[in-house]
Amino acid sequence: MANKNALTVTDHRTGKTYELPIQDGAIKAMDLRQIKVDESDFGLMTYDPAFMNPASCRSQITFIDGDKGILRYRGYPIDQLAEKTNYLENAWLLLNGELPTKAEYDGWETEIKHHTMVHENVKKLMDGFNHDAHPMGMLVSTVAALSTYYPDAKQVHDKELRRTHVKRLIGKLPTLAAWAYRHSMGYPYVYPNNDLSFAGNFLTMMKKMGDKKYEVSPALERALDVLFILHADHEQNCSTNAMRAVGSSMADPYVSVAAAAAALYGPLHGGANEEVLRMLREIGSLDKVPAFVKDVKEGKGRLMGFGHRVYKNYDPRAKIIKRMADEVFAVTGTSPLLKIALELEKVALSDEYFVQRKLYPNVDFYSGLIYDALGVPVDMFPVMFAIPRVTGWLAQWEELVDDKEQKIARPRQLFVGKSQREVPRFVDRPSKA
Ligand code: ACO
């Protein structure tokens, strides 16, 4: 009788049949290697240029069901986490698997705050950038530079030491992010104030001017904290994959985080909310929405903030952000762009093109509007994403480093270039017309 937990494959080139075990809903790609036409054959591979189907790891951190629109950190639904916890509780949860007790949380918060300061030399690094340097480029570079301040970060198998660097990265990211912004504005840097909350401190480092006390509105502080929760992890996305790929060579966490942040910079990933705001500004008024949607359907650009590789339903984070937008705009006054966004969503969700392709608003569709209302310029949007995502990257990296099944990430290729030929000297090379 056939094994019920196996896949039977017949290779019609040879007529041979193979039985491949199925575990956790997957076959092992390496089991395909035994399928060969003859002994000199390398063996069968899978071709998957954008990693559409491989499971690259076993992970216990974040669960997504894209069809149902579900996102959970360590089993807890994202909407409950957004309602009942703060960002630093989520950072602990992602890294440790459970929510902290009150005593654990107090210690954790103190330790993260202890690491918010950066070496004074980092200011010189920041000063080296052009006045109009993109803050994300500055963040990527300065995070990578932190590696040179902490050479013991290379000891990635030392769990205790590793945790110190994890705390450093979580604590320092807001400082680097705020300073990148201050540099681009030509403002003096503001040092961290550890009497404030994680989100409150970041807003203060960005916004404080002169000696005047900067008062953070509790509603805006909470909105930012919720945005941090929603962006903290999202399983094996492009930047996390970069973190794991670079981390798999046992590179230290600073350069690995820099690589992940570089991946996040792209407009198809963390740069999307920046593009959303530009798009809404370009549309400019409600009457231009139908013409814009028509252009998108004709292939003239994409509707930014719509569509997702995994969610084929409303992104659960977008739902929470959309609700939160009302609370933020109650404090800041409404934005004309919100009206355009709501109309755009309405038109798209009732249009056959978007319905058929299961294109729904993703997390970036509304987050840019909230950042805008908080007075954060568009160039800073991917930076805002990186501040909390560092927690997810680090949790995934620790899981990778401790995973005995992992090795250096090294995919194969289907070579479609020229076969071996002789190297001609200049005189023998045909001249080009
Ligand atoms: N606007 C218009 N059409 C779209 C969009 C969009 N935003 N997204 C996908 N499509 C269309 C594609 O043209 C394609 O149509 P076709 O089948 O006629 O060729 C179909 O929908 C499937 O699209 P893919 O590109 O195969 O989808 P994929 O899973 O590769 O891409 C992605 C996902 C990159 C997010 C895409 O939807 C996109 O570019 N969205 C806009 C950018 C964006 O908002 N990114 C943020 C993602 S969330 C995050 O990173 C936090």
Side-chain angles (χ1 to χ4, degrees):
M1 208 172 76
N3 180 355
K4 282 208 168 146
N5 285 320
L7 178 75
T8 303
V9 177
T10 302
D11 183 351
H12 291 288
R13 299 171 302 175
T14 59
K16 279 194 195 159
T17 294
Y18 303 82
E19 199 167 90
L20 311 180
I22 299 176
Q23 201 188 344
D24 299 327
I27 58 161
K28 284 194 173 155
M30 279 303 285
D31 284 349
L32 294 171
R33 271 296 177 77
Q34 59 183 308
I35 304 177
K36 300 178 177 195
V37 275
D38 56 41
E39 267 320 297
S40 66
D41 186 0
F42 181 73
L44 203 64
M45 293 187 283
T46 53
Y47 177 58
D48 196 353
F51 303 155
M52 301 283 281
N53 201 34
S56 65
C57 58
R58 288 175 193 280
S59 184
Q60 302 186 10
I61 302 171
T62 293
F63 174 79
I64 301 175
D65 183 328
D67 291 329
K68 296 195 182 119
I70 291 173
L71 169 61
R72 295 183 202 129
Y73 296 161
R74 302 282 190 180
Y76 293 118
I78 193 69
D79 51 332
Q80 290 184 29
L81 289 169
E83 191 193 326
K84 299 181 189 170
T85 63
N86 71 19
Y87 165 65
L88 283 184
E89 286 173 83
N90 282 273
W92 175 283
L93 172 68
L94 288 165
L95 286 156
N96 298 303
E98 295 298 335
L99 282 164
T101 61
K102 181 75 176 79
E104 283 168 338
Y105 178 79
D106 290 344
W108 174 240
E109 190 189 30
T110 306
E111 283 184 289
I112 297 292
K113 285 182 173 176
H114 177 75
H115 288 294
T116 50
M117 204 66 99
V118 292
H119 194 288
E120 277 293 288
N121 276 349
V122 173
K123 286 204 303 202
K124 288 191 199 153
L125 278 175
M126 284 280 174
D127 286 341
F129 290 105
N130 257 359
H131 70 280
D132 57 355
H134 195 290
M136 192 62 173
M138 288 191 251
L139 183 78
V140 170
S141 317
T142 46
V143 171
L146 288 185
S147 156
T148 64
Y149 293 82
Y150 306 109
D152 64 356
K154 289 182 177 60
Q155 296 169 43
V156 298
H157 291 293
D158 182 329
K159 289 190 187 191
E160 207 178 314
L161 191 56
R162 198 165 76 190
R163 268 302 158 100
T164 305
H165 295 294
V166 164
K167 286 177 229 164
R168 276 200 179 112
L169 273 157
I170 296 173
K172 290 185 197 323
L173 253 270
T175 312
L176 295 178
W179 285 13
Y181 166 74
R182 305 281 299 192
H183 175 80
S184 66
M185 300 300 287
Y187 299 155
Y189 306 123
V190 174
Y191 286 98
N193 178 346
N194 294 341
D195 293 336
L196 301 173
S197 72
F198 189 85
N201 173 47
F202 172 69
L203 280 174
T204 306
M205 284 191 290
M206 258 190 86
K207 297 277 164 193
K208 190 174 180 309
M209 283 301 189
D211 290 339
K212 241 174 64 193
K213 193 163 183 259
Y214 175 75
E215 295 282 357
V216 188
S217 147
L220 301 188
E221 187 177 346
R222 176 64 189 153
L224 183 60
D225 200 59
V226 171
L227 282 175
F228 285 166
I229 295 172
L230 301 183
H231 286 89
D233 194 44
H234 211 234
E235 54 117 310
Q236 308 313 313
N237 54 80
C238 177
S239 55
T240 303
N241 185 54
M243 179 83 196
R244 280 183 174 261
V246 175
S248 77
S249 73
M250 300 299 133
D252 76 56
Y254 298 97
V255 288
S256 303
V257 164
L264 187 68
Y265 195 177
L268 296 188
H269 191 9
N273 50 8
E274 183 174 346
E275 297 301 322
V276 171
L277 218 71
R278 289 192 211 285
M279 173 187 75
L280 294 175
R281 284 184 181 146
E282 195 188 305
I283 296 172
S285 59
L286 286 180
D287 57 313
K288 302 227 173 76
V289 167
F292 179 81
V293 172
K294 186 167 165 280
D295 281 353
V296 168
K297 282 160 47 177
E298 287 169 3
K300 297 179 199 151
R302 290 200 158 186
L303 177 45
M304 299 311 285
F306 257 68
H308 200 278
R309 173 62 58 79
V310 178
Y311 295 117
K312 302 301 170 196
N313 200 325
Y314 215 102
D315 181 335
R317 300 167 300 173
K319 266 190 207 159
I320 300 167
I321 296 184
K322 194 176 169 187
R323 275 201 308 270
M324 220 170 58
D326 293 333
E327 290 161 34
V328 170
F329 288 120
V331 178
T332 62
T334 193
S335 154
L337 299 181
L338 176 65
K339 288 204 182 106
I340 299 175
L342 289 168
E343 180 64 14
L344 202 50
E345 180 188 332
K346 200 174 90 193
V347 172
L349 291 183
S350 55
D351 190 296
E352 208 34 37
Y353 175 95
F354 297 91
V355 174
Q356 251 181 17
R357 290 169 178 76
K358 297 188 176 166
L359 299 170
Y360 291 86
N362 61 48
V363 67
D364 286 323
F365 193 65
Y366 288 104
S367 64
L369 284 168
I370 296 191
Y371 291 140
D372 189 45
L374 295 177
V376 177
V378 283
D379 278 0
M380 274 293 285
F381 288 5
V383 174
M384 302 300 289
F385 195 155
I387 293 171
R389 181 55 62 88
V390 74
T391 299
W393 292 332
L394 290 165
Q396 301 273 349
W397 169 75
E398 283 200 329
E399 193 177 65
L400 165 105
V401 172
D402 288 342
D403 185 346
K404 299 270 180 293
E405 277 190 302
Q406 292 289 345
K407 286 172 184 270
I408 187 165
R410 204 307 188 180
R412 296 276 172 181
Q413 64 173 9
L414 302 181
F415 181 69
V416 293
K418 295 190 163 65
S419 49
Q420 183 170 313
R421 52 201 180 134
E422 280 295 309
V423 178
R425 296 192 183 279
F426 269 130
V427 287
D428 298 327
R429 291 178 213 166
S431 57
K432 288 212 175 98

